[in-house]
């Protein structure tokens, strides 16, 4: 437990440093590929979220998901690529190939589907090479280009608001 406190402290310092030097320019390109970063500690309906996004016109094959869990149980099976705090070093390096591939993919839209400031999630969002990032208003404002004010449990409202504004911004 003490190690996790120290690890979170250094990860927060790393995130703050990254966000300080990060440019906040968003892309004007149309949304074709979507990445979803989900904190399954508080939200377990990832498949329904994806179905809702697909119903708005995004092709299922163009959606990638990365799941974060605080603790993975020994016999627990996670369908999507996942990450926990123990996969991140104290300096912010990630040891899982599928997570590094997710971060290096230049998505047209990254949906940061979490509403709690966790250093691991903020690090992934800050490291991501996505062109346009969307998230909740309770998360650090420097991480996302566009912020939606709603609760995590109401994914229908989130998706409706997201696509309403994507149409206004001429991104779809």
């Amino acid at each position: 437990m003490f190690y996790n406190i120290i690890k979170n402290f250094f990860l927060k310092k790393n995130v703050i440093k990254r966000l300080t030097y990060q440019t906040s320019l968003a892309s004007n390109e149309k949304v074709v590929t979507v990445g979803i970063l989900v904190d399954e500690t508080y939200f377990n309906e990832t498949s329904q979220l994806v179905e809702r996004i697909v119903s708005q016109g995004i092709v299922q094959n163009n959606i990638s998901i990365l799941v974060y869990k605080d603790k993975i149980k020994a016999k627990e099976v996670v369908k999507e690529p996942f990450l926990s705090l123990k996969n991140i070093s104290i300096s912010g390096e990630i040891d899982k190939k599928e997570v590094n591939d997710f971060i290096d993919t230049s998505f047209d839209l990254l949906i940061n589907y979490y509403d709690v400031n966790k250093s691991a999630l903020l690090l992934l969002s800050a490291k991501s090479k996505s062109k346009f990032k969307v998230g909740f208003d309770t998360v650090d404002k420097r991480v996302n280009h566009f912020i939606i004010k709603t609760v995590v449990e109401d994914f229908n409202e989130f998706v409706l608001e997201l696509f309403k504004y994507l149409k206004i911004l001429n991104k779809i």
Side-chain angles (χ1 to χ4, degrees):
M1 182 172 142
F2 185 69
Y3 177 72
N4 285 342
I5 293 170
I6 293 173
K7 186 184 234 183
N8 276 321
F9 174 77
F10 283 109
L11 286 178
K12 282 182 186 179
K13 285 185 73 158
N14 191 331
V15 168
I16 290 170
K17 181 180 171 184
R18 284 182 184 279
L19 291 176
T20 303
Y21 297 112
Q22 181 175 331
T23 60
S24 62
L25 297 175
S27 169
N28 290 328
E29 296 177 16
K30 300 281 185 188
V31 173
V32 176
T33 57
V34 176
I36 305 172
L37 180 57
V38 178
D39 182 6
E40 277 202 357
T41 307
Y42 300 108
F43 181 76
N44 296 326
E45 300 166 359
T46 306
S47 60
Q48 294 172 338
L49 174 66
V50 171
E51 288 174 14
R52 192 74 178 110
I53 292 170
V54 168
S55 72
Q56 295 293 324
I58 302 295
V59 179
Q60 175 101 27
N61 293 339
N62 292 341
I63 299 174
S64 297
I65 303 168
L66 180 63
V67 172
Y68 175 82
K69 287 190 162 210
D70 285 333
K71 296 187 185 202
I72 307 288
K73 296 175 185 162
K75 296 181 180 179
E76 184 176 7
V77 177
V78 182
K79 296 178 217 169
E80 295 89 10
F82 68 93
L83 170 83
S84 66
L85 189 59
K86 68 175 159 180
N87 298 115
I88 303 174
S89 72
I90 201 163
S91 63
E93 298 301 317
I94 300 165
D95 64 359
K96 289 187 85 169
K97 182 187 179 330
E98 59 265 11
V99 176
N100 286 323
D101 291 344
F102 184 88
I103 291 171
D104 291 335
T105 303
S106 182
F107 295 111
D108 297 325
L109 173 66
L110 176 66
I111 299 173
N112 292 315
Y113 207 81
Y114 56 90
D115 63 348
V116 177
N117 280 325
K118 291 185 180 176
S119 54
L121 290 166
L122 293 173
L123 179 70
L124 292 173
S125 298
K127 279 183 144 186
S128 174
K129 298 194 177 23
S130 298
K131 299 171 187 166
F132 190 70
K133 299 175 186 176
V134 176
F136 290 92
D137 66 327
T138 55
V139 180
D140 191 332
K141 309 295 187 240
R142 299 172 290 178
V143 173
N144 298 310
H145 297 113
F146 189 75
I147 298 170
I148 296 175
K149 185 172 181 154
T150 186
V151 293
V152 172
E153 292 81 17
D154 194 2
F155 62 90
N156 285 320
E157 181 181 349
F158 180 87
V159 172
L160 287 174
E161 288 293 314
L162 172 62
F163 280 90
K164 178 174 88 174
Y165 284 105
L166 287 176
K167 287 176 185 170
I168 291 170
L169 294 170
N170 203 19
K171 290 193 156 290
I172 54 172

